[in-house]
Amino acid sequence: KAGVTQTPRYLIKTRGQQVTLSCSPISGHRSVSWYQQTPGQGLQFLFEYFSETQRNKGNFPGRFSGRQFSNSRSEMNVSTLELGDSALYLCASSLAWLAGVRNSGELFFGEGSRLTVL
Amino acid sequence: QKEVEQNSGPLSVPEGAIASLNCTYSDRGSQSFFWYRQYSGKSPELIMFIYSNGDKEDGRFTAQLNKASQYVSLLIRDSQPSDSATYLCAVRGLSSASKIIFGSGTRLSIRP
């Protein structure tokens, strides 16, 4: 069973540009979450999508956006890049968190997209 | 106050000893608790999850949960050099239950 696939793995951008990252979840997983990981801040939650709807959002500026397609694949976009956006962006998929079902929603991570902003 | 707090370490433990990793969380209504391991340059991988108070054992790993104290821990028995990694505690809260929040991680080093 294929794991979570993220593309591109590495990319270099300059300030002011925008970037789009892609994530293909494990087959059958309908929930996709995105995290930003930096040495100073650790893993910070960006947003979570389920059935093409954003279910939750972290405390990031509006420059960070995402979407999910009908096949559960997800993209995130960062516009007007800043130096501080340099980070590892991790996508994680899960079957789904379902209200009232305790043993649900464990995250499985992709290898990440490492973004460097110059 | 951070939602999920961990000691950043590094925690150095001799090979064969028990490594004890701790985590506290702020949302009293939190439902699910996870431990992830992350090797340098790699993505996090799930080690264990726990939902109920008490202990849960899986091989050399034991997760302990105390909801009254808002405390979760991970014990690694018979520590091996391959256990050297950063261990991330993660919590699914009650108020935004579709979101899993991570601690900043504890760096564990097993010395031969």
PDB file of all heavy atoms in Angstrom, chain A residues 37-64:
ATOM      1  N   GLN A  37       6.983  22.617   9.810  1.00  0.00           N
ATOM      2  CA  GLN A  37       7.969  22.276  10.823  1.00  0.00           C
ATOM      3  C   GLN A  37       9.218  23.123  10.658  1.00  0.00           C
ATOM      4  O   GLN A  37       9.841  23.135   9.589  1.00  0.00           O
ATOM      5  CB  GLN A  37       8.342  20.796  10.771  1.00  0.00           C
ATOM      6  CG  GLN A  37       9.243  20.367  11.933  1.00  0.00           C
ATOM      7  CD  GLN A  37       9.465  18.874  11.984  1.00  0.00           C
ATOM      8  OE1 GLN A  37       9.574  18.194  10.985  1.00  0.00           O
ATOM      9  NE2 GLN A  37       9.518  18.333  13.203  1.00  0.00           N
ATOM     10  N   THR A  38       9.563  23.842  11.720  1.00  0.00           N
ATOM     11  CA  THR A  38      10.795  24.624  11.766  1.00  0.00           C
ATOM     12  C   THR A  38      11.545  24.270  13.033  1.00  0.00           C
ATOM     13  O   THR A  38      10.941  23.828  14.004  1.00  0.00           O
ATOM     14  CB  THR A  38      10.494  26.134  11.758  1.00  0.00           C
ATOM     15  OG1 THR A  38       9.662  26.440  12.896  1.00  0.00           O
ATOM     16  CG2 THR A  38       9.783  26.555  10.490  1.00  0.00           C
ATOM     17  N   PRO A  39      12.872  24.476  13.045  1.00  0.00           N
ATOM     18  CA  PRO A  39      13.644  24.131  14.251  1.00  0.00           C
ATOM     19  C   PRO A  39      13.161  24.884  15.486  1.00  0.00           C
ATOM     20  O   PRO A  39      13.131  24.339  16.573  1.00  0.00           O
ATOM     21  CB  PRO A  39      15.076  24.521  13.879  1.00  0.00           C
ATOM     22  CG  PRO A  39      15.102  24.429  12.396  1.00  0.00           C
ATOM     23  CD  PRO A  39      13.748  24.880  11.941  1.00  0.00           C
ATOM     24  N   GLY A  40      12.769  26.119  15.317  1.00  0.00           N
ATOM     25  CA  GLY A  40      12.393  26.914  16.476  1.00  0.00           C
ATOM     26  C   GLY A  40      10.980  26.679  16.977  1.00  0.00           C
ATOM     27  O   GLY A  40      10.713  26.744  18.170  1.00  0.00           O
ATOM     28  N   GLN A  41      10.057  26.369  16.084  1.00  0.00           N
ATOM     29  CA  GLN A  41       8.633  26.266  16.434  1.00  0.00           C
ATOM     30  C   GLN A  41       8.097  24.844  16.437  1.00  0.00           C
ATOM     31  O   GLN A  41       6.969  24.616  16.859  1.00  0.00           O
ATOM     32  CB  GLN A  41       7.786  27.104  15.449  1.00  0.00           C
ATOM     33  CG  GLN A  41       8.095  28.578  15.483  1.00  0.00           C
ATOM     34  CD  GLN A  41       7.747  29.192  16.813  1.00  0.00           C
ATOM     35  OE1 GLN A  41       6.713  28.892  17.399  1.00  0.00           O
ATOM     36  NE2 GLN A  41       8.623  30.051  17.323  1.00  0.00           N
ATOM     37  N   GLY A  42       8.874  23.902  15.971  1.00  0.00           N
ATOM     38  CA  GLY A  42       8.359  22.535  15.941  1.00  0.00           C
ATOM     39  C   GLY A  42       7.295  22.373  14.874  1.00  0.00           C
ATOM     40  O   GLY A  42       7.263  23.102  13.877  1.00  0.00           O
ATOM     41  N   LEU A  43       6.404  21.420  15.095  1.00  0.00           N
ATOM     42  CA  LEU A  43       5.321  21.121  14.149  1.00  0.00           C
ATOM     43  C   LEU A  43       4.120  22.013  14.442  1.00  0.00           C
ATOM     44  O   LEU A  43       3.484  21.894  15.479  1.00  0.00           O
ATOM     45  CB  LEU A  43       4.890  19.664  14.284  1.00  0.00           C
ATOM     46  CG  LEU A  43       5.534  18.627  13.361  1.00  0.00           C
ATOM     47  CD1 LEU A  43       5.213  17.234  13.850  1.00  0.00           C
ATOM     48  CD2 LEU A  43       5.020  18.805  11.952  1.00  0.00           C
ATOM     49  N   GLN A  44       3.806  22.881  13.504  1.00  0.00           N
ATOM     50  CA  GLN A  44       2.681  23.790  13.675  1.00  0.00           C
ATOM     51  C   GLN A  44       1.558  23.397  12.708  1.00  0.00           C
ATOM     52  O   GLN A  44       1.788  23.233  11.519  1.00  0.00           O
ATOM     53  CB  GLN A  44       3.116  25.226  13.389  1.00  0.00           C
ATOM     54  CG  GLN A  44       4.228  25.730  14.307  1.00  0.00           C
ATOM     55  CD  GLN A  44       3.753  25.979  15.707  1.00  0.00           C
ATOM     56  OE1 GLN A  44       2.767  26.669  15.927  1.00  0.00           O
ATOM     57  NE2 GLN A  44       4.437  25.391  16.676  1.00  0.00           N
ATOM     58  N   PHE A  45       0.342  23.278  13.247  1.00  0.00           N
ATOM     59  CA  PHE A  45      -0.814  22.877  12.450  1.00  0.00           C
ATOM     60  C   PHE A  45      -1.234  24.016  11.520  1.00  0.00           C
ATOM     61  O   PHE A  45      -1.430  25.152  11.961  1.00  0.00           O
ATOM     62  CB  PHE A  45      -1.955  22.504  13.394  1.00  0.00           C
ATOM     63  CG  PHE A  45      -3.249  22.177  12.713  1.00  0.00           C
ATOM     64  CD1 PHE A  45      -3.457  20.930  12.156  1.00  0.00           C
ATOM     65  CD2 PHE A  45      -4.270  23.112  12.642  1.00  0.00           C
ATOM     66  CE1 PHE A  45      -4.661  20.610  11.538  1.00  0.00           C
ATOM     67  CE2 PHE A  45      -5.470  22.813  12.030  1.00  0.00           C
ATOM     68  CZ  PHE A  45      -5.665  21.567  11.481  1.00  0.00           C
ATOM     69  N   LEU A  46      -1.395  23.683  10.253  1.00  0.00           N
ATOM     70  CA  LEU A  46      -1.847  24.669   9.268  1.00  0.00           C
ATOM     71  C   LEU A  46      -3.344  24.542   9.033  1.00  0.00           C
ATOM     72  O   LEU A  46      -4.093  25.484   9.258  1.00  0.00           O
ATOM     73  CB  LEU A  46      -1.090  24.474   7.950  1.00  0.00           C
ATOM     74  CG  LEU A  46       0.319  25.072   7.896  1.00  0.00           C
ATOM     75  CD1 LEU A  46       1.165  24.368   6.854  1.00  0.00           C
ATOM     76  CD2 LEU A  46       0.240  26.552   7.608  1.00  0.00           C
ATOM     77  N   PHE A  47      -3.771  23.413   8.497  1.00  0.00           N
ATOM     78  CA  PHE A  47      -5.194  23.153   8.275  1.00  0.00           C
ATOM     79  C   PHE A  47      -5.431  21.672   8.020  1.00  0.00           C
ATOM     80  O   PHE A  47      -4.503  20.911   7.768  1.00  0.00           O
ATOM     81  CB  PHE A  47      -5.797  23.977   7.127  1.00  0.00           C
ATOM     82  CG  PHE A  47      -4.815  24.442   6.092  1.00  0.00           C
ATOM     83  CD1 PHE A  47      -4.149  23.537   5.271  1.00  0.00           C
ATOM     84  CD2 PHE A  47      -4.557  25.794   5.938  1.00  0.00           C
ATOM     85  CE1 PHE A  47      -3.258  23.976   4.316  1.00  0.00           C
ATOM     86  CE2 PHE A  47      -3.665  26.240   4.984  1.00  0.00           C
ATOM     87  CZ  PHE A  47      -3.011  25.339   4.174  1.00  0.00           C
ATOM     88  N   GLU A  48      -6.721  21.324   8.091  1.00  0.00           N
ATOM     89  CA  GLU A  48      -7.137  19.949   7.855  1.00  0.00           C
ATOM     90  C   GLU A  48      -8.325  19.947   6.920  1.00  0.00           C
ATOM     91  O   GLU A  48      -9.244  20.764   7.073  1.00  0.00           O
ATOM     92  CB  GLU A  48      -7.503  19.242   9.169  1.00  0.00           C
ATOM     93  CG  GLU A  48      -7.759  17.742   9.013  1.00  0.00           C
ATOM     94  CD  GLU A  48      -9.189  17.335   9.286  1.00  0.00           C
ATOM     95  OE1 GLU A  48     -10.006  18.195   9.678  1.00  0.00           O
ATOM     96  OE2 GLU A  48      -9.503  16.143   9.105  1.00  0.00           O
ATOM     97  N   TYR A  49      -8.305  19.057   5.947  1.00  0.00           N
ATOM     98  CA  TYR A  49      -9.386  18.933   4.977  1.00  0.00           C
ATOM     99  C   TYR A  49      -9.989  17.541   5.043  1.00  0.00           C
ATOM    100  O   TYR A  49      -9.281  16.547   5.250  1.00  0.00           O
ATOM    101  CB  TYR A  49      -8.876  19.201   3.554  1.00  0.00           C
ATOM    102  CG  TYR A  49      -8.602  20.651   3.304  1.00  0.00           C
ATOM    103  CD1 TYR A  49      -7.352  21.201   3.598  1.00  0.00           C
ATOM    104  CD2 TYR A  49      -9.589  21.497   2.809  1.00  0.00           C
ATOM    105  CE1 TYR A  49      -7.104  22.542   3.396  1.00  0.00           C
ATOM    106  CE2 TYR A  49      -9.350  22.835   2.598  1.00  0.00           C
ATOM    107  CZ  TYR A  49      -8.094  23.348   2.903  1.00  0.00           C
ATOM    108  OH  TYR A  49      -7.852  24.682   2.709  1.00  0.00           O
ATOM    109  N   PHE A  50     -11.287  17.525   4.863  1.00  0.00           N
ATOM    110  CA  PHE A  50     -12.022  16.265   4.825  1.00  0.00           C
ATOM    111  C   PHE A  50     -13.135  16.421   3.819  1.00  0.00           C
ATOM    112  O   PHE A  50     -13.911  17.377   3.914  1.00  0.00           O
ATOM    113  CB  PHE A  50     -12.566  15.917   6.209  1.00  0.00           C
ATOM    114  CG  PHE A  50     -13.421  14.694   6.240  1.00  0.00           C
ATOM    115  CD1 PHE A  50     -12.846  13.437   6.147  1.00  0.00           C
ATOM    116  CD2 PHE A  50     -14.804  14.779   6.368  1.00  0.00           C
ATOM    117  CE1 PHE A  50     -13.624  12.297   6.181  1.00  0.00           C
ATOM    118  CE2 PHE A  50     -15.593  13.642   6.400  1.00  0.00           C
ATOM    119  CZ  PHE A  50     -14.998  12.406   6.310  1.00  0.00           C
ATOM    120  N   SER A  51     -13.217  15.525   2.884  1.00  0.00           N
ATOM    121  CA  SER A  51     -14.253  15.574   1.844  1.00  0.00           C
ATOM    122  C   SER A  51     -14.342  16.951   1.212  1.00  0.00           C
ATOM    123  O   SER A  51     -15.428  17.543   1.113  1.00  0.00           O
ATOM    124  CB  SER A  51     -15.618  15.172   2.426  1.00  0.00           C
ATOM    125  OG  SER A  51     -15.631  13.817   2.777  1.00  0.00           O
ATOM    126  N   GLU A  52     -13.204  17.478   0.827  1.00  0.00           N
ATOM    127  CA  GLU A  52     -13.077  18.743   0.103  1.00  0.00           C
ATOM    128  C   GLU A  52     -13.433  19.972   0.940  1.00  0.00           C
ATOM    129  O   GLU A  52     -13.509  21.085   0.394  1.00  0.00           O
ATOM    130  CB  GLU A  52     -13.927  18.719  -1.179  1.00  0.00           C
ATOM    131  CG  GLU A  52     -13.572  17.579  -2.122  1.00  0.00           C
ATOM    132  CD  GLU A  52     -14.474  17.545  -3.336  1.00  0.00           C
ATOM    133  OE1 GLU A  52     -14.429  18.503  -4.130  1.00  0.00           O
ATOM    134  OE2 GLU A  52     -15.226  16.546  -3.499  1.00  0.00           O
ATOM    135  N   THR A  53     -13.640  19.794   2.236  1.00  0.00           N
ATOM    136  CA  THR A  53     -13.999  20.909   3.112  1.00  0.00           C
ATOM    137  C   THR A  53     -12.911  21.112   4.155  1.00  0.00           C
ATOM    138  O   THR A  53     -12.390  20.148   4.717  1.00  0.00           O
ATOM    139  CB  THR A  53     -15.339  20.627   3.816  1.00  0.00           C
ATOM    140  OG1 THR A  53     -16.357  20.470   2.829  1.00  0.00           O
ATOM    141  CG2 THR A  53     -15.713  21.777   4.756  1.00  0.00           C
ATOM    142  N   GLN A  54     -12.592  22.375   4.414  1.00  0.00           N
ATOM    143  CA  GLN A  54     -11.637  22.671   5.486  1.00  0.00           C
ATOM    144  C   GLN A  54     -12.350  22.535   6.817  1.00  0.00           C
ATOM    145  O   GLN A  54     -13.267  23.303   7.120  1.00  0.00           O
ATOM    146  CB  GLN A  54     -11.076  24.084   5.315  1.00  0.00           C
ATOM    147  CG  GLN A  54      -9.940  24.395   6.290  1.00  0.00           C
ATOM    148  CD  GLN A  54      -9.423  25.809   6.123  1.00  0.00           C
ATOM    149  OE1 GLN A  54      -9.922  26.755   6.734  1.00  0.00           O
ATOM    150  NE2 GLN A  54      -8.437  25.968   5.273  1.00  0.00           N
ATOM    151  N   ARG A  55     -11.895  21.587   7.642  1.00  0.00           N
ATOM    152  CA  ARG A  55     -12.567  21.350   8.926  1.00  0.00           C
ATOM    153  C   ARG A  55     -11.932  22.136  10.052  1.00  0.00           C
ATOM    154  O   ARG A  55     -12.583  22.397  11.063  1.00  0.00           O
ATOM    155  CB  ARG A  55     -12.517  19.866   9.302  1.00  0.00           C
ATOM    156  CG  ARG A  55     -13.448  18.988   8.540  1.00  0.00           C
ATOM    157  CD  ARG A  55     -13.861  17.766   9.333  1.00  0.00           C
ATOM    158  NE  ARG A  55     -12.763  16.859   9.629  1.00  0.00           N
ATOM    159  CZ  ARG A  55     -12.919  15.632  10.086  1.00  0.00           C
ATOM    160  NH1 ARG A  55     -14.140  15.169  10.307  1.00  0.00           N
ATOM    161  NH2 ARG A  55     -11.875  14.861  10.336  1.00  0.00           N
ATOM    162  N   ASN A  56     -10.663  22.469   9.898  1.00  0.00           N
ATOM    163  CA  ASN A  56      -9.974  23.166  10.974  1.00  0.00           C
ATOM    164  C   ASN A  56      -8.825  23.958  10.398  1.00  0.00           C
ATOM    165  O   ASN A  56      -8.262  23.598   9.356  1.00  0.00           O
ATOM    166  CB  ASN A  56      -9.464  22.152  11.998  1.00  0.00           C
ATOM    167  CG  ASN A  56      -9.625  22.644  13.414  1.00  0.00           C
ATOM    168  OD1 ASN A  56      -9.412  23.823  13.705  1.00  0.00           O
ATOM    169  ND2 ASN A  56      -9.999  21.755  14.311  1.00  0.00           N
ATOM    170  N   LYS A  57      -8.469  25.011  11.084  1.00  0.00           N
ATOM    171  CA  LYS A  57      -7.419  25.889  10.582  1.00  0.00           C
ATOM    172  C   LYS A  57      -6.555  26.330  11.740  1.00  0.00           C
ATOM    173  O   LYS A  57      -7.067  26.632  12.827  1.00  0.00           O
ATOM    174  CB  LYS A  57      -8.038  27.104   9.895  1.00  0.00           C
ATOM    175  CG  LYS A  57      -7.061  27.973   9.144  1.00  0.00           C
ATOM    176  CD  LYS A  57      -7.801  29.098   8.428  1.00  0.00           C
ATOM    177  CE  LYS A  57      -6.895  29.890   7.509  1.00  0.00           C
ATOM    178  NZ  LYS A  57      -5.711  30.443   8.160  1.00  0.00           N
ATOM    179  N   GLY A  58      -5.256  26.393  11.523  1.00  0.00           N
ATOM    180  CA  GLY A  58      -4.333  26.867  12.540  1.00  0.00           C
ATOM    181  C   GLY A  58      -4.192  28.367  12.495  1.00  0.00           C
ATOM    182  O   GLY A  58      -4.901  29.067  11.769  1.00  0.00           O
ATOM    183  N   ASN A  59      -3.247  28.885  13.268  1.00  0.00           N
ATOM    184  CA  ASN A  59      -3.062  30.328  13.382  1.00  0.00           C
ATOM    185  C   ASN A  59      -2.001  30.837  12.415  1.00  0.00           C
ATOM    186  O   ASN A  59      -0.960  31.341  12.821  1.00  0.00           O
ATOM    187  CB  ASN A  59      -2.678  30.690  14.818  1.00  0.00           C
ATOM    188  CG  ASN A  59      -3.761  30.328  15.807  1.00  0.00           C
ATOM    189  OD1 ASN A  59      -4.946  30.492  15.517  1.00  0.00           O
ATOM    190  ND2 ASN A  59      -3.371  29.813  16.965  1.00  0.00           N
ATOM    191  N   PHE A  60      -2.269  30.706  11.164  1.00  0.00           N
ATOM    192  CA  PHE A  60      -1.371  31.206  10.124  1.00  0.00           C
ATOM    193  C   PHE A  60      -2.089  32.300   9.341  1.00  0.00           C
ATOM    194  O   PHE A  60      -3.303  32.306   9.249  1.00  0.00           O
ATOM    195  CB  PHE A  60      -0.968  30.065   9.181  1.00  0.00           C
ATOM    196  CG  PHE A  60       0.147  29.200   9.726  1.00  0.00           C
ATOM    197  CD1 PHE A  60      -0.111  28.205  10.643  1.00  0.00           C
ATOM    198  CD2 PHE A  60       1.456  29.428   9.325  1.00  0.00           C
ATOM    199  CE1 PHE A  60       0.910  27.420  11.153  1.00  0.00           C
ATOM    200  CE2 PHE A  60       2.488  28.647   9.823  1.00  0.00           C
ATOM    201  CZ  PHE A  60       2.213  27.638  10.750  1.00  0.00           C
ATOM    202  N   PRO A  61      -1.303  33.233   8.776  1.00  0.00           N
ATOM    203  CA  PRO A  61      -1.927  34.312   8.010  1.00  0.00           C
ATOM    204  C   PRO A  61      -2.623  33.796   6.754  1.00  0.00           C
ATOM    205  O   PRO A  61      -2.397  32.670   6.310  1.00  0.00           O
ATOM    206  CB  PRO A  61      -0.738  35.223   7.658  1.00  0.00           C
ATOM    207  CG  PRO A  61       0.477  34.380   7.818  1.00  0.00           C
ATOM    208  CD  PRO A  61       0.166  33.364   8.854  1.00  0.00           C
ATOM    209  N   GLY A  62      -3.446  34.647   6.183  1.00  0.00           N
ATOM    210  CA  GLY A  62      -4.217  34.265   5.017  1.00  0.00           C
ATOM    211  C   GLY A  62      -3.394  33.940   3.787  1.00  0.00           C
ATOM    212  O   GLY A  62      -3.927  33.406   2.806  1.00  0.00           O
ATOM    213  N   ARG A  63      -2.088  34.244   3.833  1.00  0.00           N
ATOM    214  CA  ARG A  63      -1.210  33.882   2.713  1.00  0.00           C
ATOM    215  C   ARG A  63      -1.129  32.359   2.543  1.00  0.00           C
ATOM    216  O   ARG A  63      -0.758  31.864   1.482  1.00  0.00           O
ATOM    217  CB  ARG A  63       0.210  34.411   2.954  1.00  0.00           C
ATOM    218  CG  ARG A  63       0.307  35.918   3.087  1.00  0.00           C
ATOM    219  CD  ARG A  63       1.753  36.377   3.200  1.00  0.00           C
ATOM    220  NE  ARG A  63       2.452  35.857   4.363  1.00  0.00           N
ATOM    221  CZ  ARG A  63       3.375  34.919   4.341  1.00  0.00           C
ATOM    222  NH1 ARG A  63       3.720  34.352   3.206  1.00  0.00           N
ATOM    223  NH2 ARG A  63       3.978  34.511   5.466  1.00  0.00           N
ATOM    224  N   PHE A  64      -1.460  31.660   3.605  1.00  0.00           N
ATOM    225  CA  PHE A  64      -1.438  30.200   3.565  1.00  0.00           C
ATOM    226  C   PHE A  64      -2.858  29.703   3.261  1.00  0.00           C
ATOM    227  O   PHE A  64      -3.794  30.021   4.005  1.00  0.00           O
ATOM    228  CB  PHE A  64      -0.967  29.635   4.904  1.00  0.00           C
ATOM    229  CG  PHE A  64       0.473  29.915   5.206  1.00  0.00           C
ATOM    230  CD1 PHE A  64       0.872  31.147   5.706  1.00  0.00           C
ATOM    231  CD2 PHE A  64       1.441  28.947   4.983  1.00  0.00           C
ATOM    232  CE1 PHE A  64       2.218  31.417   5.981  1.00  0.00           C
ATOM    233  CE2 PHE A  64       2.783  29.191   5.257  1.00  0.00           C
ATOM    234  CZ  PHE A  64       3.161  30.431   5.754  1.00  0.00           C
TER     235      PHE A  64
END
